[in-house]
Amino acid sequence: MAKILVTGGAGYIGSHTVYFLRKSGHSVIVADNLSRGDRANVPEGILRVVDLRDTAKLASILREEQCEAVIHFAAYIAVGESTKAPELYFANNVGGSTSLFEAMQQAGVNKLVFSSTAAAYGNPQRVPITEDQPIAPINPYGDSKVMVERMIELLDQYRGFHSIRLRYFNACGAEPEAGLGERHDPETHLIPLVLRAVLTGKPVTVFGEDYDTPDGTCVRDYIHVSDLAQAHINAVEHLLNGGAGGAFNVGTGVGHSVREVLSAVEKVTGRKAPYISGPRREGDPPRLVADSQKLQNTLGWKPVRADLERIVADAWEFAQRHGA
Ligand SMILES: NC(=O)c1ccc[n+]([C@@H]2O[C@H](COP(=O)([O-])OP(=O)(O)OC[C@H]3O[C@@H](n4cnc5c(N)ncnc54)[C@H](O)[C@@H]3O)[C@@H](O)[C@H]2O)c1
C-alpha cells in the first residue's frame, strides 16, 4: 500500500478516486486550492489547501507526507471558458503542472498519473479512437492538456519520471453512498444538466439535431466516474510495481446519443426531461467513442458500470439528495 498525493481531489473525479484509493488500502493526501472543488468532498484530515503554483509548499507536502506517487487532476476544465480566456487555461493547467513537476523533482517523487482528455484528438479521423490517432486539439482547454502531456513525455525521457496519461471520454455518474457526485459550477455536462431540467422544469438545450448520426444528435462515450477512478488505481499501482508508462484511453467503447441520454433520464426518473433545440456548437464532433483495449490489456481494467441507465440512476440519486 502506498502514500499518494492527489491534486484536485476536492473536485468531481478526484474525490471519487480518493474514495476508492482509500477503500483499496492506500493512504491519500489531497492538494487542492478549492477554486472549483468542495471541501466537503474530502475526508477529514487529508486536505491541504494549496495552489499548484506554490512549488515550495507542494514540495514540502510531498516530503513531509513521504508520498510515493502523484495523481494529478487539478485543472480548469470548461471548454467554453477556455475559448474566452485561453490565458487562464495556460496559466493554471500548464503553469500549475510545471510547478507540480518541479516540486516532485525537489521531493524525489517520479511516479505520476495525469488526467488527460479525449479533447486531445479534436475531430478524430476514425472512431472508435485509438491512442495512435493524431493529436489535434481544437480548443485552448485541449491544447493546455496536450502541452502537459508533451511535457510529461519529455520528463519521462530526460528526468526519470514514470508516467501514465489517461485520456478520458465523458466522465459521468456518481457514488451516492459516499456522498459524491457531479456538481461543476457552471455545469456544462449533459447528464447533470438534463437531471437539473427534470428537477427545475427549465429545459436543457440540445445543440444540433442534424449530425450524421442515427438520430441526428451527438454521440459520446459515457464512462462512469467510479470506473474511471478504478483506472487511476490500476495505473498508479502499475507504476509503483515498476510497470511502463504511456497514454491510455478510458472509455466504454459504446456511444450514446443525446437523445438516448434524454430517454434514459425519462426512464430512470419517470418524469419528462424538458428540452429545447439549439444550433450546433462550434467544434463539437458528431461521434467520440474510445477504443480502450490498450488499457484493458495492459492494466487489466474493465468498465463494470457501463450501462447508461445505471449511470443515470446513480447521478439521479445524487441530484435528488443535493438539489438542482
Ligand atoms: N469531467 C470530465 O468529463 C473530464 C473529461 C476528461 C478529462 N477531465 C480531466 O479530469 C480532471 C478533473 O476533472 P473534474 O471534472 O473532476 O474537474 P473539477 O473542476 O471537479 O475538479 C478540479 C479540481 O482541481 C482544483 N484546482 C484547479 N486548479 C487548481 C490549482 N491551480 N491548484 C490547486 N487545485 C486546483 C479545483 O479546485 C477542483 O477541486 C481535469 O484535469 C480534467 O481536465 C475531465
Side-chain angles (χ1 to χ4, degrees):
M1 292 303 119
K3 184 105 181 233
I4 297 162
L5 184 83
V6 177
T7 77
Y12 172 47
I13 306 169
S15 61
H16 285 79
T17 304
V18 169
Y19 173 72
F20 284 104
L21 278 167
R22 284 161 56 96
K23 253 189 141 175
S24 341
H26 295 292
S27 299
V28 176
I29 295 293
V30 168
D32 199 300
N33 65 1
L34 301 178
S35 58
R36 307 223 165 157
D38 187 346
R39 184 183 285 276
N41 285 341
V42 186
E44 207 51 42
I46 66 166
L47 175 64
R48 304 290 178 269
V49 180
V50 56
D51 191 283
L52 279 185
R53 285 161 289 190
D54 189 341
T55 313
K57 193 162 169 189
L58 280 178
S60 74
I61 293 169
L62 284 164
R63 268 197 224 99
E64 279 159 25
E65 299 290 347
Q66 300 185 329
C67 295
E68 293 151 77
V70 174
I71 304 182
H72 176 29
F73 293 99
Y76 292 157
I77 68 156
V79 170
E81 181 185 56
S82 81
T83 62
K84 293 193 185 87
E87 69 286 357
L88 202 63
Y89 277 67
F90 296 108
N92 197 52
N93 296 0
V94 182
S97 298
T98 311
S99 164
L100 170 68
F101 303 154
E102 171 62 28
M104 288 173 64
Q105 290 183 69
Q106 287 178 15
V109 179
N110 66 1
K111 309 238 169 8
L112 171 71
V113 179
F114 173 62
S115 296
S116 190
T117 168
Y121 300 109
N123 289 307
Q125 291 176 352
R126 275 175 290 108
V127 177
I129 304 168
T130 44
E131 290 83 355
D132 55 3
Q133 285 209 40
I135 295 301
I138 51 171
N139 54 61
Y141 163 69
D143 268 304
S144 73
K145 288 277 154 178
V146 165
M147 283 184 190
V148 178
E149 277 214 39
R150 183 66 189 135
M151 188 157 47
I152 291 171
E153 281 183 292
L154 296 171
L155 289 169
D156 278 6
Q157 191 177 344
Y158 295 111
R159 284 297 208 177
F161 272 48
H162 300 278
S163 308
I164 286 181
R165 294 162 277 135
L166 295 177
R167 295 181 184 146
Y168 327 152
F169 284 62
N170 287 48
C172 54
E175 200 58 40
E177 76 170 45
L180 298 173
E182 185 166 16
R183 254 171 110 78
H184 293 108
D185 184 18
E187 189 55 77
T188 57
H189 293 154
L190 182 64
I191 292 175
L193 287 176
V194 178
L195 293 174
R196 188 181 292 172
V198 167
L199 285 169
T200 62
K202 287 191 200 131
V204 63
T205 306
V206 173
F207 295 104
E209 293 169 292
D210 57 352
Y211 284 97
D212 185 17
T213 57
D215 65 22
T217 61
C218 284
V219 169
R220 296 288 180 267
D221 187 329
Y222 292 92
I223 171 82
H224 195 294
V225 66
S226 303
D227 283 340
L228 191 49
Q230 188 58 49
H232 291 79
I233 297 173
N234 290 21
V236 80
E237 288 178 348
H238 177 78
L239 292 175
L240 288 163
N241 290 329
F248 299 85
N249 290 335
V250 197
T252 64
V254 176
H256 292 290
S257 71
V258 175
R259 266 194 218 291
E260 284 181 276
V261 170
L262 288 165
S263 303
V265 167
E266 293 189 340
K267 193 153 176 218
V268 166
T269 63
R271 302 195 207 169
K272 204 89 208 118
Y275 77 92
I276 51 172
S277 304
R280 289 183 179 200
R281 280 184 303 197
E282 203 186 322
D284 247 353
R287 246 180 114 229
L288 289 176
V289 178
D291 180 326
S292 60
Q293 278 314 309
K294 185 178 169 196
L295 182 65
Q296 303 201 23
N297 296 340
T298 315
L299 300 185
W301 171 87
K302 244 191 173 3
V304 294
R305 304 163 180 88
D307 177 63
L308 184 60
E309 282 177 26
R310 156 78 195 268
I311 288 171
V312 170
D314 285 346
W316 176 231
E317 200 179 325
F318 178 80
Q320 282 175 296
R321 286 190 202 176
H322 294 267

